[in-house]
Structure formats: C-alpha cells, structure tokens
C-alpha cells in the first residue's frame, strides 16, 4: 500500500464529514459528521508518520532509538490527542444538545436561534 | 509482531480496498440516511473501518484505542442521545445549502487529492534499502538506522508511552485537565435546574 491511497481515502472521509456538518440540520448528525472529520485527520496523521522519511533520520545516521521513535511516532501521538479531544467534545456536545432539547423541545440547529432575536 | 514487508502483498492490497470502500460507503450512509439511529450504526461501521486502516498502517495500539473509545464509548453516547431525543420525528433533514455546499466540498476534495498526488513525498520505505533506491531521492539509511526503524515499528506501545511522558508531557497533562473539565461541564449542563 502506498501513502497516496491512504491520504486520498482520508480526504474523502473528511469531505463527507464536512458536507454533513455543513448541510445537516439535526445537531446530532452534525456531531457525527464532525467525528468523521476527526477520523479522516487521524488517518492522515498516522499515514504520514508511517510513510514519510524524517529528514534528520536521513542526515544523522547515529540517532538513539528514542529519537527515531520520536520522529516516527509523533503522528500516532497526535492521533491519540485528537481522539482525547474528540471524546471530550462529544461528551460536552451531547450534554449541550440534551439541555437544549429539554428547554426548547428541538434538536434542529435551525431552531436554535436565541441570540438572533 | 508484524514481519517486514507484509504490507506490500496482494492480500494487503485487497484488504485495504475492502476496508477503504466499506468505510467510505458507511460514511456516506451516515450523512445520507433519513433514520438517525441507522446512521449512528453506520458511524460504528465507519469507525471500525478506520481502526482497520490503523492496523494496515502498523499502528496496532491506535487501532485498539479507536475501538475502545470510538466504537465503545463515543458511539454509545451518540446512540443514547438519539434515543433520548427520539420523539423528534423529522429525522435528519438537510438545509437549503445542499448544492452549493456539495460543490464547495467537491472542489475541496479535488484540491486535496491533487495536492496529495502532485507532492513529491520523500518516503521511508525506499530509503530503507528496498528495490528502488532512486525513488527516495538517493537517500539511503544506514543499516543501524534501518534496524532502529524496524525496532520502533515492531514494538510501538512502549515507545508511545515514553513519548507521552517525555516529549509530550505538557500536552498529556493538559489533556487530562481537559477531560476533567469536560466531565464536570457535561454533568453541570445535564443537571436539572
């Protein structure tokens, strides 16, 4: 498998998520679309850290294993942080949606226009 | 432990395309289906597909994390929220911007794919002494470096753990504070009154 296929698939998933986040009126669908976008970004980060040659690895032949790991696994660590942020975001987002639903009886983002009036 | 060169065989190619196509179809179903509950189930399929791609990328730990957090926790939360707002009978309608947004997203996708294909990536694999050395711009790693790269990818979990508590320790601590704040905030929002 090559880098380009992974990144193109990730871009397609990101684009689908972007479309859903911009077009859908149900707030829960918008959250799900945002999760899809997170997943696309995660695939990109991991694929880049898996396939791309770190410049310093090529320039300095005598790096310690820890430094090699730092160059090669930074994408995976970023993906872990993105997953953490996504979990926090979903917990808060769903809490907000449920609170709005309880107060106003709707989860459509087009009905949530308190600040417009 | 995964052996060397296993990710270039025809079986891996077939696995990649099966996973990629099912992930993309599931993602389309998430945004297109009328029934919210079904689109949440397709979201789970999509998450599992992404975990499969992580396995193909030799990020087994991340695949396990993906299954545990996305499939195990986030989708259950989303399904709970859908069931709690079930009496909203409108399903998942779209707004009036379908066509302009579709055009913009298609343009974005075209630009992204063009950039990915047009960029000259300096790849790790050829530099490790594969069959085509020229592809890496004549960069060849020393045997020592190649051994270290193989060591890193054959055993990623302790390396990731060391990275998390050494180089990324500040982000690690901030992430724990963020999770705490999110939990407390969600509780405060949900509480009656």
């Amino acid at each position: 498998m090559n880098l380009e296929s992974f990144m193109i698939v990730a871009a397609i998933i990101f684009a689908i998520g972007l479309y859903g986040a911009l077009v859908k009126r149900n707030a829960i669908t918008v959250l799900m679309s945002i999760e899809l976008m997170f997943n696309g970004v995660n695939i990109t980060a991991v694929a880049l850290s898996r396939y791309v040659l770190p410049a310093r690895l090529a320039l300095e032949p005598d790096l310690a294993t820890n430094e090699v790991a730092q160059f090669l696994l930074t994408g995976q660590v970023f993906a872990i942080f993105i997953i953490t942020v996504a979990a926090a975001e979903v917990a808060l987002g769903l809490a907000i949606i449920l609170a709005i639903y309880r107060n106003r009886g709707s989860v459509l983002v087009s009905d949530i226009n308190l600040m417009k009036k | 432990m995964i052996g060397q060169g296993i990710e270039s065989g025809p079986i891996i190619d077939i696995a990649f395309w099966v996973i990629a196509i099912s992930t993309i179809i599931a993602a389309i179903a998430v945004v297109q289906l009328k029934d919210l509950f079904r689109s949440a189930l397709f979201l789970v399929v999509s998450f599992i597909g992404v975990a499969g791609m992580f396995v193909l990328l030799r990020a087994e730990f991340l695949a396990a994390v993906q299954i545990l957090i996305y499939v195990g926790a986030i989708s259950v939360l989303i399904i709970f929220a859908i069931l709690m707002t079930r009496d909203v009978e409108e399903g998942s309608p779209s707004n009036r911007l379908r066509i302009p947004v579709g055009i913009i997203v298609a343009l974005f996708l075209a630009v992204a794919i063009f950039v990915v294909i047009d960029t000259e990536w300096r790849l790790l694999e050829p530099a490790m002494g594969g069959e085509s050395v020229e592809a890496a711009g004549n960069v060849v790693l020393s045997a020592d470096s190649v051994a270290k790269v193989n060591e890193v990818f054959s055993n990623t979990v302790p390396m990731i753990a060391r990275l998390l508590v050494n180089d990324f320790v500040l982000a690690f601590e901030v992430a724990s504070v963020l999770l705490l704040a999110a939990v407390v905030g969600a509780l405060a929002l949900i509480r009656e009154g």
Side-chain angles (χ1 to χ4, degrees):
Chain A
M1 256 10 271
N2 52 7
L3 173 67
E4 284 87 353
S5 345
F6 278 104
M7 290 189 65
I8 288 172
V9 170
I12 293 172
I13 294 174
F14 184 90
I16 294 170
L18 184 62
Y19 174 81
L22 290 177
V23 157
K24 288 293 167 180
R25 284 171 64 206
N26 192 314
I28 297 176
T29 320
V30 173
L31 263 184
M32 291 198 282
S33 307
I34 292 173
E35 293 308 310
L36 283 178
M37 291 164 72
F38 277 129
N39 273 291
V41 174
N42 275 347
I43 295 175
T44 310
V46 178
L48 282 175
S49 83
R50 169 75 186 88
Y51 281 102
V52 173
L53 174 70
R56 271 190 65 196
L57 195 63
L59 294 176
E60 300 171 31
D62 49 350
L63 286 171
T65 312
N66 284 347
E67 289 175 293
V68 176
Q70 189 195 339
F71 297 141
L72 293 177
L73 295 180
T74 301
Q76 295 194 26
V77 175
F78 268 49
I80 290 173
F81 285 128
I82 292 173
I83 290 175
T84 314
V85 173
E89 173 252 333
V90 158
L92 271 182
L94 291 177
I96 291 173
I97 290 172
L98 285 182
I100 289 172
Y101 176 70
R102 199 187 287 146
N103 285 332
R104 301 176 66 88
S106 170
V107 289
L108 299 185
V109 286
S110 47
D111 291 344
I112 308 168
N113 50 7
L114 261 180
M115 296 182 79
K116 221 162 139 187
K117 290 170 185 167
Chain B
M1 187 196 283
I2 291 186
Q4 285 312 299
I6 195 169
E7 61 248 59
S8 53
I11 297 174
I12 299 297
D13 281 6
I14 295 170
F16 171 78
W17 288 114
V18 169
I19 291 172
I21 291 170
S22 52
T23 309
I24 289 169
I25 290 175
I28 292 173
V30 169
V31 295
Q32 285 299 339
L33 282 183
K34 286 273 169 290
D35 188 0
L36 262 185
F37 189 71
R38 282 191 194 154
S39 67
L41 294 183
F42 273 105
L43 189 69
V44 174
V45 175
S46 178
F47 287 159
I48 293 175
V50 174
M53 304 199 103
F54 286 157
V55 172
L56 291 181
L57 287 165
R58 298 186 71 174
E60 296 88 2
F61 174 68
L62 216 54
V65 167
Q66 170 91 5
I67 296 280
L68 282 174
I69 295 181
Y70 272 110
V71 181
I74 290 182
S75 36
V76 170
L77 261 181
I78 289 176
I79 288 173
F80 262 111
I82 289 171
L83 293 181
M84 282 165 143
T85 58
R86 190 66 168 164
D87 47 326
V88 182
E89 275 305 324
E90 289 122 309
S92 174
S94 300
N95 60 18
R96 285 163 296 157
L97 297 173
R98 288 181 74 152
I99 292 161
V101 167
I103 292 170
I104 290 171
V105 168
L107 275 178
F108 165 80
L109 185 60
V111 170
I113 290 176
F114 173 76
V115 169
V116 166
I117 291 175
D118 197 53
T119 307
E120 295 244 340
W121 302 101
R122 296 182 64 186
L123 296 179
L124 181 66
E125 209 76 11
M128 285 169 66
E131 48 296 333
S132 57
V133 177
E134 305 82 40
N138 289 323
V139 176
V140 183
L141 296 182
S142 63
D144 196 29
S145 300
V146 172
K148 277 170 187 160
V149 170
N150 286 331
E151 188 188 341
V152 167
F153 276 121
S154 65
N155 197 7
T156 52
V157 179
M159 305 287 180
I160 290 176
R162 207 172 289 136
L163 273 183
L164 276 179
V165 293
N166 281 324
D167 300 274
F168 295 96
V169 64
L170 184 64
F172 184 73
E173 299 296 339
V174 170
S176 35
V177 175
L178 171 79
L179 280 178
L180 179 70
V183 169
V184 175
L187 282 176
L189 277 171
I190 280 298
R191 216 180 45 178
E192 295 287 340

